[in-house]
């Protein structure tokens, strides 16, 4: 087990955080103190607060309940205008927010800026959706009978989010929920509370009415259970691990409410012998080592045609060796830390399992403790060769910069390996052969497939999410986000003004 490397100290610079309930910033009443610690230098306590208790979560729900009738009565375009203001405010503070993201989560600053931009795109998209919050008309079987639908909000919804995209995931859940007219209780990961507070402050500054968005920062199950089980909640939007997601799905499903759970991945990238290898190399290393591998869409399985395997593998190893590891705020750094001691311990454990299973380690495999990194949760980028599909490292999400390589001879075998996991989030193929690309698109058991681009990424205007153990419920982002957070009401408007001679109804 990795141990903390140094004493954590609160300093004058430690930011004091609070809960946001019913439009007011208040102290939590939970037993635990929540600390946001810099994973690149764990001596630095960046922010702290008293955690929320069950009672705080219940108060947040009451506030959301009280605010709902007023918020749903605000016309959707006016609701969207508040999101538009958040877009402007976030743009003005983009660099500052990205800096907080790097400090708190660890991803390198350029990646943090990218996440900020992605989140802002999502907010922008959903602000536009406020003008398109519409139903449709349909021709009736009957004369002088108007059939149409209107969309309505669900009521109070909860959003439970992970630490690895502490900005973008908040954007893609909260914006559609609010635009659709729901009131929300947000529970971010307790590892990244600071950015969540800044996120909520933007909505406060943009003029969101009291109680429409509430923030509770607390440890997983105490607060989380309330936000899944309370009968006032009409929908639960969860992103996180499978262990927690499966539980959330079962509990919310038992009450018969809407639930979407976006969970883990074990994403394959297939490189065929005719691929542009320079392009493939760039995509593989970005997918595998970007965000220190702490992405649900990270490339964790590399399936190579044997004719190109050797040269590509050694180029990846060379690249891994050249990556500068360190504090993501420093220029030139290519790989930041893992989020915390648990994550470091888990990644190192998976590496040991891989070695015991007989996979051949080509580079990395250890904690990185060079000068300047001793007080952080750094791990070397790691490549395993000679991995077989049944090995645990080929099956389980590692969530670190660890890549497993398989070598194949025929396309059917490659597709079989790529589908041979319980996960189904995303996949990629590098090839110049159009029919192979189309076959891969058809046969890959995933929610998102990339051709000649890495397994990572998503855009506001297309749905995001997976199949199999990677996700249940409605997809997120795009129109699907709005559909999840709203329901249609069908209207039958008869304007004949007299009794009908019809047996249709
Ligand atoms: P996690 O499951 O540990 O935590 C996610 C959230 O659930 C946190 O806010 C946590 O406090 C909360 N939680 C914990 N116990 C709970 C309970 N009993 N009831 C309700 N809520 C509870 O996940 P994590 O470690 O924060 O994030 C990493 C995981 O998220 C990875 O598995 C990754 O693949 C996944 N992820 C998936 C996507 C996607 O869109 N598919 C995106 C990002 C991350």
């Amino acid at each position: 087990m990795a141990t903390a490397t140094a004493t954590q100290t609160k300093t004058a610079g430690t930011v004091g955080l609070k809960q946001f309930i019913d439009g007011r910033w208040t102290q939590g009443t939970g037993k635990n103190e929540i600390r946001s610690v810099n994973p690149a230098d764990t001596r630095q306590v960046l922010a702290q607060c008293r955690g929320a208790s069950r009672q705080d979560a219940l108060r947040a729900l009451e506030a959301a309940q009280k605010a709902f009738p007023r918020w749903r009565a605000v016309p959707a375009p006016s609701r969207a205008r508040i999101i538009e203001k958040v877009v402007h405010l976030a743009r003005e503070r983009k660099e500052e927010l990205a800096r907080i993201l790097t400090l708190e989560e660890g991803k390198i600053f350029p990646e943090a800026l990218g996440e900020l931009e992605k989140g802002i795109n999502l907010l922008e998209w959903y602000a536009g959706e406020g003008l398109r919050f519409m139903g449709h008309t349909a021709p009736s079987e009957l004369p002088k009978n108007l059939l149409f639908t209107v969309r309505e909000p669900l009521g109070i919804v909860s959003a439970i989010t992970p630490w690895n995209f502490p900005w973008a995931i908040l954007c893609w859940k909260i914006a559609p929920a609010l635009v659709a007219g729901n009131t929300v209780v947000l529970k971010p990961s307790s590892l990244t509370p600071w950015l969540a507070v800044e996120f909520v402050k933007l909505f406060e500054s943009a003029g969101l009415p009291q109680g429409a968005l509430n923030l509770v920062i607390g440890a997983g199950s105490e607060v989380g259970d309330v936000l899944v089980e309370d009968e006032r909640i009409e929908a639960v939007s969860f992103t996180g691990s499978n262990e927690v997601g499966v539980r959330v799905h079962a509990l919310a499903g038992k009450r018969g409410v809407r639930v979407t759970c976006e969970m883990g991945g074990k994403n394959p990238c297939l490189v065929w012998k005719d691929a542009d290898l320079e392009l493939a190399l760039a995509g593989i290393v970005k997918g595998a080592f970007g965000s220190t591998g702490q992405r649900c869409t990270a490339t964790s399985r590399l399936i190579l045609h044997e004719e190109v395997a050797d040269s590509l593998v050694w180029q990846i190893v060379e690249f891994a060796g050249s990556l500068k590891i360190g504090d993501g705020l420093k220029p030139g750094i290519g790989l930041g830390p893992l989020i915390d001691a648990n994550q470091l311990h888990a990644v190192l454990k998976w590496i040991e399992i891989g070695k015991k299973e007989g996979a051949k380690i080509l580079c990395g495999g250890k904690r990185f403790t060079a000068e300047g990194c001793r007080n952080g949760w750094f791990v070397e980028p790691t490549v395993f060769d000679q991995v077989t599909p049944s090995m645990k490292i080929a099956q389980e999400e590692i969530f670190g910069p660890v890549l497993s390589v398989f070598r194949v001879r025929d396309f059917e075998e490659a597709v079989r390996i790529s589908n041979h996991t319980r996960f189904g989030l995303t996949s990629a193929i590098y090839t110049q052969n159009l029919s192979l690309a189309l076959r891969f698109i058809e046969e890959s058991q995933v929610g998102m497939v990339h051709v000649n681009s890495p397994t990572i990424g998503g855009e506001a205007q297309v749905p995001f999410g997976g199949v199999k153990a990677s996700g249940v419920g409605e997809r997120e982002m795009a129109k699907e986000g709005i559909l999840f957070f709203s329901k249609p009401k069908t209207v039958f408007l008869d304007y004949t003004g007299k009794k009908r001679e019809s047996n249709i109804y």
Side-chain angles (χ1 to χ4, degrees), residues 82 132 225 355 483:
I82 293 180
R132 294 185 288 268
D225 280 352
K355 286 188 206 161
L483 294 179

Side-chain angles (χ1 to χ4, degrees), residues 54-66 68 153-160 173 177 182-187 211-212 214 216 220-238 248-261 484-485 487:
R54 199 182 150 75
Q55 278 318 106
D56 295 326
L58 290 169
R59 282 197 304 119
L61 284 176
E62 271 154 37
Q65 190 175 29
K66 201 171 73 191
F68 178 61
L154 303 175
I156 306 164
V157 300
S158 65
I160 302 175
K173 291 187 190 297
N182 304 283
T183 52
V184 186
V185 181
L186 163 65
K187 195 207 90 55
N214 303 274
V216 286
S221 55
E222 184 180 2
V223 171
D225 280 352
V226 177
L227 299 186
V228 176
E229 291 185 300
D230 192 283
E231 61 184 22
R232 287 167 288 187
I233 292 171
E234 296 288 348
V236 181
S237 179
F238 169 89
V248 165
H249 187 254
L251 288 176
K254 210 159 73 184
R255 290 199 299 113
V257 296
R258 284 188 193 193
V259 52
T260 177
C261 292
F484 175 75
F485 284 116
K487 57 193 173 197

Side-chain angles (χ1 to χ4, degrees), residues 428-448:
I429 182 168
Y430 283 85
T431 180
Q432 308 284 338
N433 181 327
L434 182 60
S435 52
L436 280 191
L438 289 169
R439 276 178 63 192
F440 188 73
I441 292 170
E442 191 175 297
E443 292 171 35
S444 187
Q445 295 166 359
V446 289
M448 298 172 287

Side-chain angles (χ1 to χ4, degrees), residues 52-287:
S53 62
R54 199 182 150 75
Q55 278 318 106
D56 295 326
L58 290 169
R59 282 197 304 119
L61 284 176
E62 271 154 37
Q65 190 175 29
K66 201 171 73 191
F68 178 61
R70 270 177 288 124
W71 180 240
R72 75 166 290 177
V74 175
S78 306
R79 295 196 293 255
R81 236 156 258 139
I82 293 180
I83 311 287
E84 239 170 67
K85 279 195 199 143
V86 175
V87 169
H88 294 302
L89 295 170
R91 276 236 163 84
E92 277 166 19
R93 293 184 55 203
K94 195 166 102 176
E95 304 250 328
E96 179 206 341
L97 294 169
R99 194 172 166 277
I100 295 176
L101 205 169
T102 294
L103 278 169
E104 193 170 49
E105 197 269 350
K107 68 183 62 165
I108 59 174
F109 188 65
E111 288 173 338
L113 271 179
E115 183 178 340
L116 254 292
E117 198 49 60
K118 172 137 308 157
I120 292 171
N121 288 347
L122 281 150
L123 294 170
E124 233 167 6
W125 164 271
Y126 283 117
E129 283 297 282
L131 300 171
R132 294 185 288 268
F133 190 59
M134 49 182 112
H136 64 274
T137 57
S140 172
E141 301 279 0
L142 300 174
K144 299 201 184 310
N145 194 37
L146 193 53
L147 291 185
F148 62 97
T149 65
V150 288
R151 292 210 78 78
E152 296 189 334
L154 303 175
I156 306 164
V157 300
S158 65
I160 302 175
T161 56
W163 49 264
N164 69 326
F165 278 86
W167 166 260
I169 294 180
L170 270 52
C171 294
W172 84 54
K173 291 187 190 297
I174 305 304
L178 288 174
V179 164
N182 304 283
T183 52
V184 186
V185 181
L186 163 65
K187 195 207 90 55
S189 166
S190 48
L191 294 174
T192 49
W194 185 12
L195 196 58
V197 163
E198 296 303 322
F199 175 86
V200 171
K201 278 186 188 165
L202 295 173
F203 285 81
E204 188 189 20
S205 304
L208 189 73
Q210 183 182 347
L213 173 60
N214 303 274
L215 171 71
V216 286
I217 304 164
S221 55
E222 184 180 2
V223 171
D225 280 352
V226 177
L227 299 186
V228 176
E229 291 185 300
D230 192 283
E231 61 184 22
R232 287 167 288 187
I233 292 171
E234 296 288 348
V236 181
S237 179
F238 169 89
T239 301
S241 63
N242 278 72
E243 293 65 34
V244 179
V246 164
R247 184 166 183 271
V248 165
H249 187 254
L251 288 176
K254 210 159 73 184
R255 290 199 299 113
V257 296
R258 284 188 193 193
V259 52
T260 177
C261 292
E262 290 297 350
M263 301 177 281
K266 190 71 192 168
N267 312 297
C269 173
L270 166 55
V271 183
W272 205 241
K273 58 185 172 185
D274 64 350
D276 175 335
L277 295 183
E278 211 177 304
L279 190 69
L281 176 68
I284 293 161
V285 295
K286 197 166 177 195

